[in-house]
């Protein structure tokens, strides 16, 4: 049984349809890169998994359970953790409160996320709006981990960050010990190096599926589908 | 003269504490949840009448009626929140005002019908709260001293529960960013419902404590709405410390005005409000 399964999902906002006919699976401990140009529906896919869009057709199963009709907070409690594109740190909470406010007991605790991101330990008393962009991204990922999820959804976690911070974050993602994740990313090369499987979205549909390792070397297809400049 | 100054300060402090207890719940719901609840003093009136009924009809001791006043007002506010208010969380301020001022008029009519329009006379008010003590030559009314203690106690409990507990962090997170809070598994609807219950319950407590000092009749819901709104806007939205400071400043200036400049009388409180808001338009401790 896969950890996550989407069957023929059609979803959008109000009457608008953004995703159409999406079917995919993520196994336990699996990792999936979601690639595609701007506006292809990548963020909408993550929002649909969380229940923030209108599901018009299809089913979503998580841990074998149909979660299609569940409210977002119920899905989060079942173990889907979402790291939003804009990070969305709570400004009225300290860094430490951001981490503990929605925490769930499990292997990920304050001590362990501080080991993963030592900078956060230094900034634990700062308010959420006093952190740099990179620190906010670390905090957003750490906050999601504190809910001890079964599946981590990351929406462009490296966007707008300095290369040295990107390296630090990518290194941290490699040390998540097989936590299942879905990574939406514009840095195609990096995304493929962090995942096992990949899909490419175009106008709300999956147009290509590949193993990440093989896809990274398939320059013609990458260039055609993602419009990529690979070094 | 000095003795009377201290007496005025003390009476003003006690009156300020009463204003604080009446308004702090509104500061929480208006400041943190951005809901304009003009019916806040109707919740206070629920608490007041519950206390009166329990004492006069069932012979309950006054102190025992206080938790019941809190619970009754909290329950009424939860019912209203579930039934009416939550539909208007995203509505305009005007829509929220129209709904809640309507509830004020309904509550005034309902209490006039049930209890009559006259001031409620309370029987069996405990004698130990009726007397007074001498302290350094100042005459301190026992009940006012009791109000001051209640004010400090409620402030301590509220600050502790909103600033230092996980529940408080959830409330602040839900106010900051509802979608992200839901996305992390926080039950935002439940959090807001409990916050609303807390705000309404505190109003009920305030309404019950107000009986002995300012009396209770169906006009209470409208008469004290003005003071409560002044306290919240002068204190700064969502700031408990701000409401506390504003209530004390306004309570003392009101008492001092009535005592020292009687021709200005009850108007002084408005002058103080205008002055403070011109100095700090966001309120004393306001963030927004």
């Amino acid at each position: 049984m896969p950890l996550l399964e989407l069957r023929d999902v059609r979803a959008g906002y109000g009457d608008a349809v953004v995703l159409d006919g999406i079917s995919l699976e993520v196994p336990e401990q699996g990792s999936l890169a979601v690639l595609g140009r701007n506006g292809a529906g990548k963020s909408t896919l993550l929002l649909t998994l969380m229940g923030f869009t209108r599901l018009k057709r299809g089913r979503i199963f998580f841990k074998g359970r149909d979660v299609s009709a569940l409210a977002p907070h119920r899905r989060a409690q079942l173990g889907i953790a979402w790291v939003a594109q804009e990070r969305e740190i709570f400004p009225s909470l300290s860094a430490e409160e951001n981490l503990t406010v929605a925490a769930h007991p499990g292997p990920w605790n304050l001590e362990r996320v501080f080991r993963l991101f030592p900078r956060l330990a230094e900034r634990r008393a700062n308010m959420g709006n006093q952190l740099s962009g990179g620190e906010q991204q670390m905090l957003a990922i750490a906050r999601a981990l504190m809910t001890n999820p079964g599946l981590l959804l990351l929406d462009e976690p490296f966007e707008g960050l300095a290369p040295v911070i990107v390296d630090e974050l990518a290194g941290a993602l490699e040390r998540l010990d097989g936590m299942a994740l879905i990574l939406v990313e514009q840095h195609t090369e990096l995304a493929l190096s962090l995942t096992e499987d990949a899909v490419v979205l175009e106008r709300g549909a999956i147009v290509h599926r590949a193993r990440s390792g093989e896809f990274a070397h398939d320059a013609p297809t990458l260039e055609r589908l993602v419009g990529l400049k690979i070094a | 003269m000095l003795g009377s100054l201290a007496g005025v300060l003390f009476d003003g402090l006690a009156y300020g504490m009463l204003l604080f207890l009446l308004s702090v719940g509104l500061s929480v719901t208006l400041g943190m949840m951005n809901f304009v609840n003009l019916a806040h003093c109707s919740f206070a009136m629920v608490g007041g009448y519950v206390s009166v009924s329990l004492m006069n009809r069932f012979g309950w001791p006054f102190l025992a009626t206080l938790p019941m006043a809190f619970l009754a007002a909290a329950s009424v506010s939860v019912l209203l929140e579930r039934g009416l208010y939550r539909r208007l969380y995203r509505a305009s301020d005007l829509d929220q005002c129209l709904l809640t001022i309507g509830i004020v008029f309904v509550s005034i009519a309902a209490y006039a019908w049930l209890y009559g329009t006259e001031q409620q006379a309370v029987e069996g008010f405990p004698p130990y709260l009726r007397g007074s003590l001498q302290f350094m030559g100042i005459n301190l009314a026992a009940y006012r001293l009791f109000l001051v203690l209640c004010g400090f106690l409620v402030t301590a409990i509220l600050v502790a529960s909103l600033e230092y507990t996980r529940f408080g962090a959830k409330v602040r997170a839900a106010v900051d960013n509802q979608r992200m809070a839901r996305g992390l598994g926080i039950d935002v609807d439940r959090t807001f419902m409990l916050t609303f219950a807390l705000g309404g319950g505190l109003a009920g407590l305030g309404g019950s404590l107000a009986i002995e000092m300012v009396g209770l009749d169906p006009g209470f819901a409208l008469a004290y709405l003005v003071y409560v709104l002044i306290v919240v806007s002068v204190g700064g939205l969502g700031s408990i410390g701000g409401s506390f400071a504003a209530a004390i400043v306004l309570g003392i200036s009101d008492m001092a005005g009535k005592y020292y400049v009687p021709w200005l009388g009850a108007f002084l409180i408005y002058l103080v409000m205008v002055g403070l808001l011109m100095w700090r338009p966001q309120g004393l401790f306001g963030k927004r």
Side-chain angles (χ1 to χ4, degrees):
Chain A
M1 181 183 70
L3 178 68
L4 177 79
E5 184 183 0
L6 275 72
R7 282 189 206 151
D8 193 25
V9 163
R10 180 181 166 107
Y13 308 96
D15 289 332
V17 173
V18 179
L19 297 175
D20 205 359
I22 302 273
S23 294
L24 60 81
E25 290 182 4
V26 177
E28 294 277 357
Q29 308 209 336
S31 52
L32 178 75
V34 178
L35 308 174
R37 295 188 170 88
N38 281 331
K42 304 188 298 293
S43 291
T44 304
L45 176 62
L46 298 191
L47 291 170
T48 301
L49 292 177
M50 287 311 298
F52 288 120
T53 62
R54 186 177 291 180
L55 188 68
K56 296 160 198 286
R57 200 181 64 208
R59 290 261 167 273
I60 301 170
F61 296 87
F62 181 67
K63 292 180 180 166
R65 179 170 170 182
D66 186 348
V67 298
S68 315
L70 283 190
H73 73 272
R74 296 281 303 121
R75 300 187 197 198
Q77 287 166 2
L78 283 177
I80 308 181
W82 171 57
V83 179
Q85 191 173 1
E86 307 295 333
R87 293 144 200 167
E88 308 196 15
I89 297 305
F90 301 117
S92 319
L93 273 61
S94 69
E96 184 170 334
E97 283 178 319
N98 265 282
L99 293 172
T100 54
V101 67
H104 233 257
W108 287 99
N109 51 26
L110 274 179
E111 192 192 333
R112 191 160 168 207
V113 297
F114 286 154
R115 229 182 302 138
L116 190 66
F117 297 117
R119 270 161 186 260
L120 293 181
E122 296 160 23
R123 308 287 258 144
R124 62 198 292 174
N126 286 73
M127 296 308 277
N129 53 6
Q130 297 168 327
L131 303 177
S132 71
E135 287 164 346
Q136 288 193 17
Q137 190 57 265
M138 291 173 196
L139 185 57
I141 294 172
R143 181 175 64 179
L145 291 173
M146 290 286 287
T147 67
N148 280 291
L151 172 65
L152 188 60
L153 311 178
L154 296 159
D155 197 347
E156 305 208 11
F158 309 124
E159 194 195 10
L161 299 178
V164 53
I165 307 282
V166 170
D167 288 345
E168 191 177 341
L169 285 170
L173 292 184
E174 281 168 355
R175 278 181 281 136
L176 294 185
D177 305 338
M179 175 175 295
L181 63 92
I182 297 183
L183 174 61
V184 165
E185 194 40 66
Q186 302 274 7
H187 293 62
T188 306
E189 203 180 351
L190 185 55
L192 291 175
S193 76
L194 289 169
T195 52
E196 287 152 21
D197 294 284
V199 295
V200 180
L201 286 186
E202 204 170 280
R203 276 181 249 112
I206 294 177
V207 292
H208 189 71
R209 296 169 195 262
R211 299 289 289 175
S212 296
E214 293 160 21
F215 198 21
H217 297 104
D218 187 359
T221 316
L222 275 175
E223 186 157 352
R224 180 167 55 84
L225 293 174
V226 195
L228 193 73
K229 5 56 181 175
I230 271 204
Chain B
M1 184 65 197
L2 213 61
S4 80
L5 177 66
V8 165
L9 282 179
F10 174 71
D11 283 354
L13 183 66
Y15 185 53
M17 285 298 179
L18 183 62
L19 291 179
F20 169 72
L21 289 169
L22 281 172
S23 55
V24 65
L26 184 66
S27 174
V28 170
T29 52
L30 182 62
M32 298 187 106
M33 294 162 59
N34 293 316
F35 190 86
V36 185
N37 180 23
L38 298 183
H40 188 72
C41 285
S42 294
F43 298 158
M45 203 155 70
V46 169
Y49 278 104
V50 162
S51 277
V52 166
S53 296
L54 287 175
M55 281 189 287
N56 288 359
R57 295 193 193 170
F58 302 100
W60 283 41
F62 172 68
L63 291 184
T65 70
L66 293 179
M68 300 313 289
F70 180 95
L71 286 177
S75 319
V76 168
S77 60
V78 164
L79 287 178
L80 280 177
E81 198 265 348
R82 293 279 99 172
L84 296 172
Y85 287 9
R86 63 181 323 191
R87 291 156 213 267
L88 289 189
Y89 276 153
R90 280 156 214 260
S92 70
D93 293 350
L94 179 64
D95 288 339
Q96 296 177 351
C97 282
L98 288 173
L99 171 74
T100 55
I101 203 76
I103 292 171
V104 171
F105 290 124
V106 170
S107 71
I108 290 175
Y111 277 110
W113 183 65
L114 287 167
Y115 289 83
T117 53
E118 68 274 12
Q119 282 249 338
Q120 293 297 311
V122 177
E123 301 149 22
F125 202 78
Y128 56 86
L129 286 178
R130 279 254 155 91
S132 63
L133 323 84
Q134 291 290 328
F135 179 74
M136 289 173 60
I138 312 163
N139 198 23
L140 303 177
Y143 189 69
R144 297 185 174 193
L145 202 58
F146 174 68
L147 276 182
V148 173
L149 288 178
C150 286
F152 279 110
L153 196 65
V154 167
T155 311
I157 293 173
L158 258 188
V159 169
S161 60
L162 287 179
E163 300 292 327
Y164 299 105
T165 66
R166 192 144 169 237
F167 171 73
K170 282 183 181 178
V171 175
R172 284 177 287 139
V175 171
D176 276 351
N177 187 334
Q178 272 200 40
R179 189 178 74 164
M180 193 67 233
R182 288 180 208 274
L184 285 167
I186 296 172
D187 190 343
V188 172
D189 291 348
R190 188 166 158 274
T191 306
F192 277 176
M193 187 187 79
L194 289 172
T195 310
F196 219 86
L198 180 69
L202 286 171
L205 181 67
S208 175
L209 290 169
I211 307 170
E212 177 65 11
M213 188 149 171
V214 299
L216 179 67
D217 64 58
F220 187 90
L222 212 47
Y224 277 85
L225 174 61
V226 180
Y227 294 107
V228 160
L229 288 175
I230 292 176
V231 168
V232 171
S233 50
V234 168
L237 288 181
S239 165
I240 295 162
S243 291
F244 188 75
I248 290 175
V249 168
L250 293 165
I252 290 177
S253 48
D254 191 54
M255 282 292 166
K258 284 172 180 158
Y259 194 84
Y260 292 114
V261 270
W263 54 273
L264 204 56
F267 194 70
L268 189 69
I269 194 169
Y270 299 103
L271 288 181
V272 170
M273 172 191 76
V274 170
L276 286 174
L277 284 180
M278 282 172 72
W279 172 48
R280 292 188 69 97
Q282 273 93 43
L284 293 175
F285 293 75
K287 290 163 203 148
R288 283 171 285 164

